[in-house]
Amino acid sequence: MHWTSAIPVAILGGAAGVTAECTADAFAEILKDHPEATVNLVEAVPENGSFGQPETDIPFPYNATSLPALCAASFNVKSSENSSYNFGLFLPDTTWNERFMTTGNGGFGGGINWPDMGRLSQYGFATLSTDTGHSSGTEDGSWGLNPESLIDWGHRAMHGSIVLAKEIISSYYADCEGIKYSYYAGCSTGGRQGLKEIQLYPDSFDGISVGAPAWWTVHLAANTLQQGLYNLPVSDPKHIDVSVFPAIVAEIEKQCDPQDGLVDGIVSDPYGCNFDFEALLCSPDSDPTTCLTPAQLTTLNKFYNPWVDANQTFLFPSMALGTDPSFAMGNHLTPLGYGLFQYFIYNNSEWDYTKFAFSDVQFADTINPGGATADSFDLSPFMERGGKILKYHGGADALIPTGSSIYFYQQVLQTLVPKGVNVDDFYRFFLIPGMNHCSGSTLAPWYIGAASQAPQGTTHSVPGFENADYDIILALMKWVEEGDAPERLIATKFTNDTATLGIQSQRPLCPYPKQAKYVAGDTSRSESWECKSLY
């Protein structure tokens, strides 16, 4: 199949018909040679119907809606003597495009991501999500007391689900030629899952779209905890009250916004900003809610700089300038930091995180719980089979520092360039200025049709712009199937993040390290900008 970037999304579907019936018996027959697998449920969903399991899928307490006619099915797979995982499939009735799409999860959460499966099924994909072996909220790591569940979460549930799902799909659509292309789209933990899968099993996917990947499992959690501890206890003179954070962000925007070439309320180059921290110091007549003492300024410096510990050991990249410190340095620490050490490392829910030290990171590194960390930077096996990677990260991500994706990209370059590999030939990385974690921004264009992005009034893709210039899923397909790599992606900001209210602005995103620079004309229009190198 061949299309240009101007062809609508709807043309991608409509090719294949169903052979098997949408019944539990039909799927049991398909799985007859897999005694470890059982059918949980099967339901025929009519066109414009909805489906989900909000009672049991804790992180996804709402249904996928406005679905094409499809078969929804869920399966359980025994992974060890004391663990198992579930996965779900959406199998379109008449709109299957002969392609397979897997999506991921978030945080420590378990549960089948029916909502993202639903959005992705609108393109015509047969879609998959696994619950990673448990059901919990995104900040609840208590299930990690079972080491086998950690392995499921780390990588086993994802890979096992992919392998079995491909077999089920090929049998279900037996009159077709099988799955022509396999794709992945996920953000956060979902980003880590995609990277981990291609590192371990480079033949699983032909292309992946990964956002803000939580790839450095132990160090990300340690950094999250460390950032919170920088600002505690509340009684310490170094503590910055949450009421001061807006003034800090405003000062960063005041200094850094003009340095990117245009004053528009968006810090487009946070790591290129020459920021004067001392401008935040209080004078005798200052309002204490708008400035910092020297002790507090030291705390802020730590937050916006890389974490370097004993013997100058680099532990984690910094937050981007302009990122709101409220999540990381608020008065209450997130379990996404200390929970990993309590449940995944020490098996002790009473572990005292206030005594956290560099030695805890060193010990945790020896364990690498669940084998989850996705730090194999030699991606050449995936590249050599024609695999493509589109990665993105918000420039104001308050949960996973933007710098972690830059660091990962740089490590891949350092690994592959000396081998003569042109990394741009298979891996392109896009920073999205002003975007928070996976989605959302007050002013900046951020929507690219990615996983975990769902503005009001959209079912999938970018209404009115359903093509590879604006939609990262279509851009990935075009690169994989036609060899046409994206030289830019155009991000969209809807008024009040609601598509029916119209477009507020659009702006190109550029392959790192290029940046979008204003040229001339209406700043809200993408044609007023160009992707330019910094030298």
Side-chain angles (χ1 to χ4, degrees):
M1 177 165 48
H2 182 86
W3 71 89
T4 68
S5 62
I7 293 181
V9 173
I11 293 180
L12 298 181
V18 175
T19 300
E21 295 181 346
C22 183
T23 65
D25 287 345
F27 286 106
E29 177 63 22
I30 292 172
L31 294 173
K32 64 183 180 181
D33 294 328
H34 293 278
E36 77 282 7
T38 56
V39 181
N40 291 328
L41 64 87
V42 178
E43 181 177 321
V45 180
E47 186 174 359
N48 292 320
S50 67
F51 185 85
Q53 296 178 291
E55 305 84 5
T56 56
D57 284 347
I58 295 173
F60 308 107
Y62 46 90
N63 285 357
T65 59
S66 303
L67 294 170
L70 53 76
C71 182
S74 172
F75 308 88
N76 178 266
V77 180
K78 187 78 171 172
S79 55
S80 77
E81 289 186 1
N82 63 344
S83 66
S84 68
Y85 56 86
N86 300 293
F87 68 90
L89 290 175
F90 276 160
L91 304 172
D93 287 356
T94 61
T95 58
W96 187 42
N97 61 10
E98 299 179 84
R99 287 152 178 79
F100 170 52
M101 173 66 80
T102 301
T103 192
N105 304 82
F108 299 150
I112 295 172
N113 189 352
W114 299 106
D116 265 3
M117 288 170 60
R119 292 182 68 86
L120 293 164
S121 71
Q122 301 281 356
Y123 294 86
F125 295 112
T127 57
L128 160 73
S129 170
T130 175
D131 69 355
T132 73
H134 67 282
S135 184
S136 76
T138 56
E139 294 189 332
D140 178 8
S142 59
W143 51 268
L145 293 171
N146 179 357
E148 293 293 339
S149 293
L150 278 174
I151 297 172
D152 283 340
W153 175 76
H155 57 87
R156 183 168 59 190
M158 177 61 76
H159 184 64
S161 298
I162 291 166
V163 172
L164 200 52
K166 287 184 176 181
E167 184 175 334
I168 292 170
I169 292 167
S170 295
S171 296
Y172 189 75
Y173 298 104
D175 285 349
C176 303
E177 297 179 3
I179 299 170
K180 291 183 177 179
Y181 296 97
S182 296
Y183 295 99
Y184 180 87
C187 192
S188 194
T189 287
R192 176 192 66 79
Q193 290 168 304
L195 289 174
K196 186 70 178 181
E197 183 68 19
I198 65 165
Q199 290 169 6
L200 291 177
Y201 310 100
D203 60 344
S204 287
F205 302 120
D206 298 295
I208 67 171
S209 161
V210 290
W215 64 271
W216 205 352
T217 305
V218 166
H219 284 231
L220 173 60
N223 185 68
T224 301
L225 174 55
Q226 183 65 56
Q227 286 180 329
L229 292 175
Y230 285 151
N231 204 34
L232 293 176
V234 174
S235 59
D236 196 302
K238 70 177 181 179
H239 175 74
I240 305 172
D241 190 80
V242 295
S243 64
V244 186
F245 290 154
I248 291 171
V249 173
E251 180 62 32
I252 293 173
E253 291 179 353
K254 175 184 173 183
Q255 293 189 36
C256 296
D257 184 12
Q259 293 185 43
D260 61 32
L262 179 71
V263 177
D264 58 357
I266 301 167
V267 178
S268 296
D269 186 15
Y271 291 103
C273 174
N274 184 17
F275 181 64
D276 177 16
F277 281 86
E278 281 67 32
L280 284 163
L281 283 170
C282 294
S283 61
D285 57 350
S286 296
D287 178 351
T289 65
T290 64
C291 62
L292 301 175
T293 66
Q296 292 172 325
L297 195 66
T298 298
T299 299
L300 191 69
N301 260 293
K302 291 179 179 179
F303 179 74
Y304 285 121
N305 278 284
W307 178 19
V308 179
D309 213 286
N311 300 317
Q312 293 300 300
T313 302
F314 173 78
L315 292 178
F316 211 76
S318 67
M319 283 288 188
L321 282 167
T323 302
D324 189 338
S326 300
F327 175 81
M329 294 205 302
N331 294 337
H332 303 286
L333 301 185
T334 170
L336 289 171
Y338 64 80
L340 178 135
F341 289 89
Q342 287 181 330
Y343 299 115
F344 296 9
I345 304 299
Y346 294 118
N347 296 327
N348 177 12
S349 61
E350 300 302 317
W351 177 72
D352 185 358
Y353 56 76
T354 65
K355 294 181 171 60
F356 174 70
F358 176 49
S359 58
D360 292 306
V361 184
Q362 292 176 301
F363 179 64
D365 276 339
T366 67
I367 295 174
N368 184 19
T373 291
D375 61 351
S376 178
F377 302 118
D378 186 353
L379 301 176
S380 55
F382 183 65
M383 176 200 69
E384 287 165 358
R385 64 172 305 277
K388 308 298 183 188
I389 303 170
L390 291 180
K391 190 177 74 172
Y392 58 95
H393 204 131
D397 192 326
L399 179 58
I400 299 179
T402 309
S404 67
S405 278
I406 297 174
Y407 180 80
F408 183 95
Y409 180 73
Q410 291 170 338
Q411 294 304 302
V412 172
L413 289 175
Q414 291 177 26
T415 302
L416 295 184
V417 170
K419 296 182 178 182
V421 174
N422 183 356
V423 172
D424 266 4
D425 286 346
F426 81 102
Y427 173 17
R428 299 203 174 184
F429 167 41
F430 297 83
L431 287 178
I432 306 181
M435 188 176 82
N436 204 318
H437 186 58
C438 295
S439 66
S441 174
T442 303
L443 291 174
W446 59 269
Y447 180 54
I448 52 174
S452 300
Q453 294 188 340
Q456 291 292 317
T458 64
T459 60
H460 68 300
S461 197
V462 186
F465 300 88
E466 295 102 335
N467 63 66
D469 292 334
Y470 297 81
D471 181 323
I472 195 170
I473 303 300
L474 297 179
L476 181 63
M477 294 174 71
K478 191 174 183 183
W479 194 9
V480 167
E481 300 179 26
E482 295 188 23
D484 191 352
E487 298 300 333
R488 66 175 190 169
L489 290 169
I490 298 175
T492 298
K493 169 71 175 176
F494 296 113
T495 302
N496 294 334
D497 287 332
T498 303
T500 54
L501 297 180
I503 291 174
Q504 178 174 311
S505 60
Q506 291 179 318
R507 187 172 299 184
L509 310 174
C510 309
Y512 186 85
K514 290 182 178 180
Q515 295 179 9
K517 294 295 183 180
Y518 174 67
V519 179
D522 186 345
T523 60
S524 68
R525 297 178 65 85
S526 62
E527 54 265 33
S528 300
W529 299 76
E530 289 183 0
C531 288
K532 294 185 176 182
S533 296
L534 300 182
Y535 54 88

PDB file of all heavy atoms in Angstrom, residues 70-98:
ATOM      1  N   LEU A  70     -15.848  -3.952  16.151  1.00  0.00           N
ATOM      2  CA  LEU A  70     -14.676  -4.793  16.412  1.00  0.00           C
ATOM      3  C   LEU A  70     -14.986  -5.872  17.433  1.00  0.00           C
ATOM      4  O   LEU A  70     -16.039  -5.856  18.082  1.00  0.00           O
ATOM      5  CB  LEU A  70     -13.491  -3.931  16.876  1.00  0.00           C
ATOM      6  CG  LEU A  70     -13.674  -2.966  18.058  1.00  0.00           C
ATOM      7  CD1 LEU A  70     -13.693  -3.680  19.405  1.00  0.00           C
ATOM      8  CD2 LEU A  70     -12.563  -1.919  18.074  1.00  0.00           C
ATOM      9  N   CYS A  71     -14.044  -6.769  17.570  1.00  0.00           N
ATOM     10  CA  CYS A  71     -14.113  -7.817  18.572  1.00  0.00           C
ATOM     11  C   CYS A  71     -13.140  -7.470  19.686  1.00  0.00           C
ATOM     12  O   CYS A  71     -11.945  -7.276  19.442  1.00  0.00           O
ATOM     13  CB  CYS A  71     -13.761  -9.172  17.968  1.00  0.00           C
ATOM     14  SG  CYS A  71     -13.882 -10.554  19.125  1.00  0.00           S
ATOM     15  N   ALA A  72     -13.648  -7.362  20.922  1.00  0.00           N
ATOM     16  CA  ALA A  72     -12.804  -7.118  22.087  1.00  0.00           C
ATOM     17  C   ALA A  72     -12.589  -8.443  22.798  1.00  0.00           C
ATOM     18  O   ALA A  72     -13.548  -9.177  23.065  1.00  0.00           O
ATOM     19  CB  ALA A  72     -13.459  -6.116  23.027  1.00  0.00           C
ATOM     20  N   ALA A  73     -11.339  -8.748  23.090  1.00  0.00           N
ATOM     21  CA  ALA A  73     -11.034 -10.017  23.744  1.00  0.00           C
ATOM     22  C   ALA A  73      -9.913  -9.812  24.750  1.00  0.00           C
ATOM     23  O   ALA A  73      -9.036  -8.969  24.569  1.00  0.00           O
ATOM     24  CB  ALA A  73     -10.624 -11.070  22.720  1.00  0.00           C
ATOM     25  N   SER A  74      -9.968 -10.593  25.830  1.00  0.00           N
ATOM     26  CA  SER A  74      -8.945 -10.530  26.861  1.00  0.00           C
ATOM     27  C   SER A  74      -8.500 -11.940  27.213  1.00  0.00           C
ATOM     28  O   SER A  74      -9.316 -12.877  27.217  1.00  0.00           O
ATOM     29  CB  SER A  74      -9.475  -9.816  28.106  1.00  0.00           C
ATOM     30  OG  SER A  74      -8.566  -9.908  29.185  1.00  0.00           O
ATOM     31  N   PHE A  75      -7.217 -12.069  27.533  1.00  0.00           N
ATOM     32  CA  PHE A  75      -6.626 -13.375  27.776  1.00  0.00           C
ATOM     33  C   PHE A  75      -5.738 -13.327  29.021  1.00  0.00           C
ATOM     34  O   PHE A  75      -5.191 -12.273  29.370  1.00  0.00           O
ATOM     35  CB  PHE A  75      -5.784 -13.805  26.570  1.00  0.00           C
ATOM     36  CG  PHE A  75      -6.519 -13.737  25.271  1.00  0.00           C
ATOM     37  CD1 PHE A  75      -6.529 -12.566  24.522  1.00  0.00           C
ATOM     38  CD2 PHE A  75      -7.234 -14.825  24.798  1.00  0.00           C
ATOM     39  CE1 PHE A  75      -7.224 -12.477  23.330  1.00  0.00           C
ATOM     40  CE2 PHE A  75      -7.940 -14.754  23.600  1.00  0.00           C
ATOM     41  CZ  PHE A  75      -7.926 -13.575  22.871  1.00  0.00           C
ATOM     42  N   ASN A  76      -5.606 -14.476  29.674  1.00  0.00           N
ATOM     43  CA  ASN A  76      -4.694 -14.619  30.812  1.00  0.00           C
ATOM     44  C   ASN A  76      -3.605 -15.615  30.461  1.00  0.00           C
ATOM     45  O   ASN A  76      -3.891 -16.660  29.868  1.00  0.00           O
ATOM     46  CB  ASN A  76      -5.444 -15.074  32.063  1.00  0.00           C
ATOM     47  CG  ASN A  76      -4.520 -15.290  33.252  1.00  0.00           C
ATOM     48  OD1 ASN A  76      -4.062 -16.400  33.514  1.00  0.00           O
ATOM     49  ND2 ASN A  76      -4.239 -14.216  33.967  1.00  0.00           N
ATOM     50  N   VAL A  77      -2.374 -15.282  30.833  1.00  0.00           N
ATOM     51  CA  VAL A  77      -1.234 -16.150  30.563  1.00  0.00           C
ATOM     52  C   VAL A  77      -0.484 -16.406  31.863  1.00  0.00           C
ATOM     53  O   VAL A  77      -0.079 -15.460  32.559  1.00  0.00           O
ATOM     54  CB  VAL A  77      -0.276 -15.536  29.527  1.00  0.00           C
ATOM     55  CG1 VAL A  77       0.905 -16.462  29.279  1.00  0.00           C
ATOM     56  CG2 VAL A  77      -1.014 -15.241  28.225  1.00  0.00           C
ATOM     57  N   LYS A  78      -0.305 -17.658  32.205  1.00  0.00           N
ATOM     58  CA  LYS A  78       0.470 -18.037  33.379  1.00  0.00           C
ATOM     59  C   LYS A  78       1.946 -17.853  33.064  1.00  0.00           C
ATOM     60  O   LYS A  78       2.477 -18.443  32.117  1.00  0.00           O
ATOM     61  CB  LYS A  78       0.186 -19.501  33.724  1.00  0.00           C
ATOM     62  CG  LYS A  78       0.790 -19.977  35.029  1.00  0.00           C
ATOM     63  CD  LYS A  78      -0.026 -19.514  36.220  1.00  0.00           C
ATOM     64  CE  LYS A  78       0.464 -20.179  37.509  1.00  0.00           C
ATOM     65  NZ  LYS A  78      -0.182 -19.623  38.696  1.00  0.00           N
ATOM     66  N   SER A  79       2.639 -17.016  33.855  1.00  0.00           N
ATOM     67  CA  SER A  79       4.036 -16.703  33.563  1.00  0.00           C
ATOM     68  C   SER A  79       5.017 -17.387  34.509  1.00  0.00           C
ATOM     69  O   SER A  79       6.210 -17.480  34.209  1.00  0.00           O
ATOM     70  CB  SER A  79       4.269 -15.192  33.602  1.00  0.00           C
ATOM     71  OG  SER A  79       3.850 -14.642  34.842  1.00  0.00           O
ATOM     72  N   SER A  80       4.535 -17.861  35.660  1.00  0.00           N
ATOM     73  CA  SER A  80       5.353 -18.619  36.607  1.00  0.00           C
ATOM     74  C   SER A  80       4.397 -19.315  37.566  1.00  0.00           C
ATOM     75  O   SER A  80       3.176 -19.207  37.439  1.00  0.00           O
ATOM     76  CB  SER A  80       6.323 -17.702  37.366  1.00  0.00           C
ATOM     77  OG  SER A  80       5.641 -16.974  38.376  1.00  0.00           O
ATOM     78  N   GLU A  81       4.952 -19.997  38.552  1.00  0.00           N
ATOM     79  CA  GLU A  81       4.091 -20.693  39.502  1.00  0.00           C
ATOM     80  C   GLU A  81       3.231 -19.729  40.306  1.00  0.00           C
ATOM     81  O   GLU A  81       2.148 -20.108  40.766  1.00  0.00           O
ATOM     82  CB  GLU A  81       4.945 -21.549  40.452  1.00  0.00           C
ATOM     83  CG  GLU A  81       5.581 -22.772  39.782  1.00  0.00           C
ATOM     84  CD  GLU A  81       6.290 -23.660  40.781  1.00  0.00           C
ATOM     85  OE1 GLU A  81       6.273 -23.324  41.991  1.00  0.00           O
ATOM     86  OE2 GLU A  81       6.860 -24.679  40.353  1.00  0.00           O
ATOM     87  N   ASN A  82       3.685 -18.501  40.495  1.00  0.00           N
ATOM     88  CA  ASN A  82       2.906 -17.560  41.309  1.00  0.00           C
ATOM     89  C   ASN A  82       2.712 -16.202  40.625  1.00  0.00           C
ATOM     90  O   ASN A  82       2.651 -15.163  41.279  1.00  0.00           O
ATOM     91  CB  ASN A  82       3.568 -17.371  42.669  1.00  0.00           C
ATOM     92  CG  ASN A  82       4.944 -16.752  42.588  1.00  0.00           C
ATOM     93  OD1 ASN A  82       5.550 -16.720  41.522  1.00  0.00           O
ATOM     94  ND2 ASN A  82       5.437 -16.243  43.706  1.00  0.00           N
ATOM     95  N   SER A  83       2.624 -16.231  39.304  1.00  0.00           N
ATOM     96  CA  SER A  83       2.345 -14.985  38.591  1.00  0.00           C
ATOM     97  C   SER A  83       1.667 -15.276  37.264  1.00  0.00           C
ATOM     98  O   SER A  83       1.798 -16.364  36.695  1.00  0.00           O
ATOM     99  CB  SER A  83       3.646 -14.196  38.338  1.00  0.00           C
ATOM    100  OG  SER A  83       4.497 -14.906  37.453  1.00  0.00           O
ATOM    101  N   SER A  84       0.947 -14.274  36.779  1.00  0.00           N
ATOM    102  CA  SER A  84       0.336 -14.337  35.452  1.00  0.00           C
ATOM    103  C   SER A  84       0.085 -12.915  34.993  1.00  0.00           C
ATOM    104  O   SER A  84       0.155 -11.968  35.774  1.00  0.00           O
ATOM    105  CB  SER A  84      -0.973 -15.130  35.471  1.00  0.00           C
ATOM    106  OG  SER A  84      -1.975 -14.433  36.202  1.00  0.00           O
ATOM    107  N   TYR A  85      -0.208 -12.776  33.717  1.00  0.00           N
ATOM    108  CA  TYR A  85      -0.546 -11.463  33.193  1.00  0.00           C
ATOM    109  C   TYR A  85      -1.727 -11.601  32.244  1.00  0.00           C
ATOM    110  O   TYR A  85      -2.039 -12.681  31.738  1.00  0.00           O
ATOM    111  CB  TYR A  85       0.650 -10.821  32.479  1.00  0.00           C
ATOM    112  CG  TYR A  85       1.251 -11.643  31.366  1.00  0.00           C
ATOM    113  CD1 TYR A  85       0.743 -11.599  30.064  1.00  0.00           C
ATOM    114  CD2 TYR A  85       2.354 -12.462  31.599  1.00  0.00           C
ATOM    115  CE1 TYR A  85       1.296 -12.355  29.044  1.00  0.00           C
ATOM    116  CE2 TYR A  85       2.924 -13.213  30.585  1.00  0.00           C
ATOM    117  CZ  TYR A  85       2.392 -13.156  29.312  1.00  0.00           C
ATOM    118  OH  TYR A  85       2.937 -13.900  28.305  1.00  0.00           O
ATOM    119  N   ASN A  86      -2.394 -10.495  32.018  1.00  0.00           N
ATOM    120  CA  ASN A  86      -3.514 -10.427  31.081  1.00  0.00           C
ATOM    121  C   ASN A  86      -3.153  -9.485  29.936  1.00  0.00           C
ATOM    122  O   ASN A  86      -2.337  -8.581  30.089  1.00  0.00           O
ATOM    123  CB  ASN A  86      -4.771  -9.902  31.787  1.00  0.00           C
ATOM    124  CG  ASN A  86      -5.197 -10.775  32.936  1.00  0.00           C
ATOM    125  OD1 ASN A  86      -5.621 -11.912  32.756  1.00  0.00           O
ATOM    126  ND2 ASN A  86      -5.086 -10.251  34.160  1.00  0.00           N
ATOM    127  N   PHE A  87      -3.771  -9.726  28.802  1.00  0.00           N
ATOM    128  CA  PHE A  87      -3.670  -8.746  27.726  1.00  0.00           C
ATOM    129  C   PHE A  87      -4.990  -8.680  26.978  1.00  0.00           C
ATOM    130  O   PHE A  87      -5.793  -9.614  27.004  1.00  0.00           O
ATOM    131  CB  PHE A  87      -2.502  -9.053  26.771  1.00  0.00           C
ATOM    132  CG  PHE A  87      -2.636 -10.292  25.928  1.00  0.00           C
ATOM    133  CD1 PHE A  87      -3.237 -10.255  24.671  1.00  0.00           C
ATOM    134  CD2 PHE A  87      -2.126 -11.511  26.375  1.00  0.00           C
ATOM    135  CE1 PHE A  87      -3.331 -11.386  23.885  1.00  0.00           C
ATOM    136  CE2 PHE A  87      -2.214 -12.660  25.591  1.00  0.00           C
ATOM    137  CZ  PHE A  87      -2.820 -12.597  24.343  1.00  0.00           C
ATOM    138  N   GLY A  88      -5.219  -7.536  26.357  1.00  0.00           N
ATOM    139  CA  GLY A  88      -6.444  -7.320  25.610  1.00  0.00           C
ATOM    140  C   GLY A  88      -6.166  -7.052  24.145  1.00  0.00           C
ATOM    141  O   GLY A  88      -5.093  -6.548  23.783  1.00  0.00           O
ATOM    142  N   LEU A  89      -7.122  -7.390  23.308  1.00  0.00           N
ATOM    143  CA  LEU A  89      -7.037  -7.121  21.876  1.00  0.00           C
ATOM    144  C   LEU A  89      -8.308  -6.447  21.393  1.00  0.00           C
ATOM    145  O   LEU A  89      -9.413  -6.794  21.837  1.00  0.00           O
ATOM    146  CB  LEU A  89      -6.853  -8.422  21.086  1.00  0.00           C
ATOM    147  CG  LEU A  89      -5.529  -9.171  21.201  1.00  0.00           C
ATOM    148  CD1 LEU A  89      -5.613 -10.489  20.435  1.00  0.00           C
ATOM    149  CD2 LEU A  89      -4.380  -8.326  20.672  1.00  0.00           C
ATOM    150  N   PHE A  90      -8.165  -5.491  20.508  1.00  0.00           N
ATOM    151  CA  PHE A  90      -9.252  -4.956  19.704  1.00  0.00           C
ATOM    152  C   PHE A  90      -9.000  -5.414  18.266  1.00  0.00           C
ATOM    153  O   PHE A  90      -7.961  -5.068  17.678  1.00  0.00           O
ATOM    154  CB  PHE A  90      -9.299  -3.435  19.750  1.00  0.00           C
ATOM    155  CG  PHE A  90     -10.024  -2.852  20.933  1.00  0.00           C
ATOM    156  CD1 PHE A  90      -9.783  -1.539  21.315  1.00  0.00           C
ATOM    157  CD2 PHE A  90     -10.957  -3.588  21.652  1.00  0.00           C
ATOM    158  CE1 PHE A  90     -10.451  -0.969  22.394  1.00  0.00           C
ATOM    159  CE2 PHE A  90     -11.637  -3.035  22.735  1.00  0.00           C
ATOM    160  CZ  PHE A  90     -11.377  -1.721  23.105  1.00  0.00           C
ATOM    161  N   LEU A  91      -9.929  -6.165  17.697  1.00  0.00           N
ATOM    162  CA  LEU A  91      -9.779  -6.711  16.354  1.00  0.00           C
ATOM    163  C   LEU A  91     -10.897  -6.167  15.464  1.00  0.00           C
ATOM    164  O   LEU A  91     -12.051  -6.587  15.571  1.00  0.00           O
ATOM    165  CB  LEU A  91      -9.838  -8.243  16.409  1.00  0.00           C
ATOM    166  CG  LEU A  91      -8.819  -8.896  17.355  1.00  0.00           C
ATOM    167  CD1 LEU A  91      -9.093 -10.390  17.495  1.00  0.00           C
ATOM    168  CD2 LEU A  91      -7.402  -8.654  16.865  1.00  0.00           C
ATOM    169  N   PRO A  92     -10.593  -5.206  14.594  1.00  0.00           N
ATOM    170  CA  PRO A  92     -11.626  -4.584  13.761  1.00  0.00           C
ATOM    171  C   PRO A  92     -12.341  -5.602  12.865  1.00  0.00           C
ATOM    172  O   PRO A  92     -11.707  -6.520  12.323  1.00  0.00           O
ATOM    173  CB  PRO A  92     -10.845  -3.567  12.929  1.00  0.00           C
ATOM    174  CG  PRO A  92      -9.613  -3.293  13.714  1.00  0.00           C
ATOM    175  CD  PRO A  92      -9.274  -4.584  14.395  1.00  0.00           C
ATOM    176  N   ASP A  93     -13.636  -5.409  12.688  1.00  0.00           N
ATOM    177  CA  ASP A  93     -14.435  -6.335  11.880  1.00  0.00           C
ATOM    178  C   ASP A  93     -14.115  -6.206  10.388  1.00  0.00           C
ATOM    179  O   ASP A  93     -13.818  -7.200   9.717  1.00  0.00           O
ATOM    180  CB  ASP A  93     -15.929  -6.070  12.097  1.00  0.00           C
ATOM    181  CG  ASP A  93     -16.417  -6.550  13.453  1.00  0.00           C
ATOM    182  OD1 ASP A  93     -15.609  -7.156  14.205  1.00  0.00           O
ATOM    183  OD2 ASP A  93     -17.590  -6.307  13.774  1.00  0.00           O
ATOM    184  N   THR A  94     -14.215  -4.996   9.861  1.00  0.00           N
ATOM    185  CA  THR A  94     -14.087  -4.798   8.410  1.00  0.00           C
ATOM    186  C   THR A  94     -13.039  -3.753   8.049  1.00  0.00           C
ATOM    187  O   THR A  94     -12.796  -3.509   6.863  1.00  0.00           O
ATOM    188  CB  THR A  94     -15.426  -4.357   7.804  1.00  0.00           C
ATOM    189  OG1 THR A  94     -15.829  -3.116   8.398  1.00  0.00           O
ATOM    190  CG2 THR A  94     -16.501  -5.404   8.032  1.00  0.00           C
ATOM    191  N   THR A  95     -12.440  -3.111   9.047  1.00  0.00           N
ATOM    192  CA  THR A  95     -11.528  -1.996   8.762  1.00  0.00           C
ATOM    193  C   THR A  95     -10.071  -2.334   9.052  1.00  0.00           C
ATOM    194  O   THR A  95      -9.219  -1.438   9.061  1.00  0.00           O
ATOM    195  CB  THR A  95     -11.921  -0.758   9.588  1.00  0.00           C
ATOM    196  OG1 THR A  95     -11.893  -1.094  10.982  1.00  0.00           O
ATOM    197  CG2 THR A  95     -13.301  -0.267   9.203  1.00  0.00           C
ATOM    198  N   TRP A  96      -9.756  -3.629   9.269  1.00  0.00           N
ATOM    199  CA  TRP A  96      -8.374  -3.965   9.597  1.00  0.00           C
ATOM    200  C   TRP A  96      -7.442  -3.610   8.439  1.00  0.00           C
ATOM    201  O   TRP A  96      -7.683  -3.975   7.285  1.00  0.00           O
ATOM    202  CB  TRP A  96      -8.235  -5.454   9.920  1.00  0.00           C
ATOM    203  CG  TRP A  96      -6.869  -5.824  10.421  1.00  0.00           C
ATOM    204  CD1 TRP A  96      -6.111  -5.128  11.316  1.00  0.00           C
ATOM    205  CD2 TRP A  96      -6.085  -6.956  10.034  1.00  0.00           C
ATOM    206  NE1 TRP A  96      -4.904  -5.757  11.526  1.00  0.00           N
ATOM    207  CE2 TRP A  96      -4.851  -6.888  10.753  1.00  0.00           C
ATOM    208  CE3 TRP A  96      -6.286  -8.031   9.163  1.00  0.00           C
ATOM    209  CZ2 TRP A  96      -3.851  -7.839  10.619  1.00  0.00           C
ATOM    210  CZ3 TRP A  96      -5.286  -8.980   9.040  1.00  0.00           C
ATOM    211  CH2 TRP A  96      -4.075  -8.892   9.759  1.00  0.00           C
ATOM    212  N   ASN A  97      -6.373  -2.903   8.759  1.00  0.00           N
ATOM    213  CA  ASN A  97      -5.413  -2.459   7.739  1.00  0.00           C
ATOM    214  C   ASN A  97      -4.226  -3.410   7.586  1.00  0.00           C
ATOM    215  O   ASN A  97      -3.208  -3.036   7.000  1.00  0.00           O
ATOM    216  CB  ASN A  97      -4.919  -1.042   8.055  1.00  0.00           C
ATOM    217  CG  ASN A  97      -4.196  -0.953   9.394  1.00  0.00           C
ATOM    218  OD1 ASN A  97      -3.891  -1.958  10.028  1.00  0.00           O
ATOM    219  ND2 ASN A  97      -3.939   0.271   9.841  1.00  0.00           N
ATOM    220  N   GLU A  98      -4.378  -4.617   8.150  1.00  0.00           N
ATOM    221  CA  GLU A  98      -3.337  -5.649   8.072  1.00  0.00           C
ATOM    222  C   GLU A  98      -2.062  -5.228   8.800  1.00  0.00           C
ATOM    223  O   GLU A  98      -0.960  -5.627   8.451  1.00  0.00           O
ATOM    224  CB  GLU A  98      -3.042  -6.017   6.611  1.00  0.00           C
ATOM    225  CG  GLU A  98      -4.278  -6.575   5.908  1.00  0.00           C
ATOM    226  CD  GLU A  98      -4.022  -6.929   4.463  1.00  0.00           C
ATOM    227  OE1 GLU A  98      -3.531  -8.033   4.197  1.00  0.00           O
ATOM    228  OE2 GLU A  98      -4.316  -6.067   3.610  1.00  0.00           O
TER     229      GLU A  98
END
